[in-house]
Amino acid sequence: MAKLKPSKGAPYARVLGVGGYRPTRVVPNEVILERIDSSDEWIRSRSGIQTRHWANDEETVAAMSIEASGKAIADAGISAEQIGGVIVSTVSHFKQTPAVATEIADKLGTDKAAAFDISAGCAGFGYGLTLAKGMIVEGSAEYVLVIGVERLSDLTDLEDRATAFLFGDGAGAVVVGPSQEPAIGPTVWGSEGDKSETIKQTVAWNEYDSSTDKFPAITQEGQAVFRWAVFEMAKVAQQALDAAGISPDDLDVFIPHQANERIIDSMVKTLKLPEHVTVARDVRTTGNTSAASIPLAMERLLATGEAKSGDTALVIGFGAGLVYAATVVTLP
């Protein structure tokens, strides 16, 4: 029996650079209120959202990803030719095939990088980060680009009072590369498919009839999602801390999926995070951007100085599926 040659990857992986792109159009709650019976005060009290960004025709999933990725590559101090893998998490790229990752890899100037899309909703960035870490440690790539990108304005029913105010557009990207010490902890991830109906697309593409149906949109059972996120995801976050061998006192930064500020506040309370921990609240001005929300929030914290290079951060994403992923990372 032949023996396979062992892989020669790096001992560990780390996030080396981060970049973000927010569409130029800023949409305040007043615009949302033109189509639903609500108020600015109600939206802010229920979600914390004040504004969100919506993409124009030129700000495609690919275009936004390329902008964010260019910043992440520059931040990492490498060239695009060194990227060996491109992983894109999105639910709003409407072509079933080819993967938008291949277009992005080509336009960035990578040297025939492996490129593929994943669909893991709001946990997609965590899924991509875990895959990238595995590729680097296994040795199939030295540097991997992980992108979370959404144009959720295309999938928003502006007359649905429960969701019209939630979603925004944008792209966030990180470069993951080799490390001589642990800098991305074990991932605690999973799925609860028995709850898949709580967040879903209203009409399947193969069932959509443009003559009778509204364009497919994302809908959710708000209270059920809130309860699940608050009670179950706090447990997952704690499991990620335990897996990394640290306590809440060791944390510098908490970057949860930017779904709803009430959920964020509840998780902070349940986890008993110390006051010194910086908490990402990008949801206030960016809205819920699904797979893009964690890298966008990370980029903003570093850009504003609220977080700094070398900080220890807990990141957790959760959403449609229902799926989740949490890990501890050292910030670039």
Side-chain angles (χ1 to χ4, degrees):
M1 181 181 295
K3 292 185 177 180
L4 299 181
K5 182 180 179 180
S7 59
K8 294 183 178 180
Y12 305 104
R14 69 184 306 117
V15 178
L16 298 173
V18 59
Y21 180 82
R22 293 171 173 81
T24 54
R25 183 186 177 193
V26 177
V27 180
N29 288 338
E30 286 73 21
V31 172
I32 305 298
L33 294 171
E34 294 172 3
R35 303 281 292 274
I36 60 172
D37 180 18
S38 188
S39 68
D40 178 64
E41 190 278 332
W42 187 89
I43 293 174
R44 292 186 188 222
S45 66
R46 300 288 290 185
S47 68
I49 298 172
Q50 304 166 22
T51 61
R52 74 284 293 147
H53 294 255
W54 283 354
N56 61 33
D57 291 344
E58 287 72 40
E59 292 167 322
T60 63
V61 165
M64 292 191 293
S65 297
I66 290 166
E67 289 290 334
S69 298
K71 295 175 183 177
I73 292 169
D75 192 44
I78 66 169
S79 66
E81 290 86 352
Q82 293 174 273
I83 298 290
V86 177
I87 303 171
V88 177
S89 178
T90 185
V91 299
S92 47
H93 175 58
F94 288 162
K95 281 188 178 180
Q96 198 72 37
T97 193
V100 71
T102 59
E103 177 186 350
I104 294 165
D106 176 63
K107 290 185 176 178
L108 284 172
T110 68
D111 184 17
K112 300 180 181 179
F116 56 95
D117 298 351
I118 59 175
S119 176
C122 305
F125 175 75
Y127 274 53
L129 189 65
T130 304
L131 294 172
K133 173 186 173 182
M135 292 167 70
I136 290 159
V137 173
E138 184 270 339
S140 60
E142 185 176 13
Y143 299 100
V144 179
L145 184 66
V146 179
I147 304 166
V149 57
E150 301 293 3
R151 274 183 56 122
L152 293 180
S153 58
D154 293 335
L155 290 169
T156 299
D157 180 353
L158 295 178
E159 296 178 350
D160 179 1
R161 189 174 183 271
T163 61
F165 60 90
L166 285 176
F167 302 120
D169 303 337
V174 299
V175 172
V176 183
S179 175
Q180 294 303 308
E181 59 185 29
I184 301 175
T187 300
V188 177
W189 57 353
S191 65
E192 298 185 29
D194 60 315
K195 300 179 180 66
S196 61
E197 291 295 302
T198 57
I199 305 175
K200 63 180 182 180
Q201 184 173 308
T202 51
V203 183
W205 293 114
N206 64 328
E207 298 172 352
Y208 170 62
D209 184 343
S210 60
S211 65
T212 58
D213 296 326
K214 278 187 174 181
F215 193 77
I218 296 172
T219 186
Q220 68 176 28
E221 297 174 16
Q223 288 301 314
V225 173
F226 183 88
R227 288 192 298 271
W228 176 76
V230 167
F231 296 109
E232 298 303 320
M233 292 305 97
K235 297 176 186 176
V236 171
Q238 183 61 56
Q239 290 169 13
L241 291 174
D242 295 341
I246 66 172
S247 72
D249 289 338
D250 299 316
L251 276 181
D252 300 303
V253 185
F254 179 43
I255 311 177
H257 165 49
Q258 302 294 292
N260 179 307
E261 193 165 29
R262 290 173 62 209
I263 291 175
I264 295 171
D265 289 339
S266 295
M267 292 182 73
V268 168
K269 182 177 180 180
T270 301
L271 288 167
K272 298 180 180 178
L273 295 184
E275 289 188 8
H276 75 261
V277 176
T278 297
V279 179
R281 299 183 185 279
D282 195 43
V283 66
R284 293 173 178 172
T285 55
T286 306
N288 179 343
T289 55
S290 188
S293 79
I294 290 174
L296 277 174
M298 183 184 296
E299 184 261 352
R300 174 161 280 172
L301 289 176
L302 289 166
T304 60
E306 295 172 82
K308 62 183 185 299
S309 175
D311 278 354
T312 300
L314 169 64
V315 299
I316 179 169
F318 44 86
L322 294 171
V323 294
Y324 54 88
T327 189
V328 176
V329 303
T330 301
L331 294 183

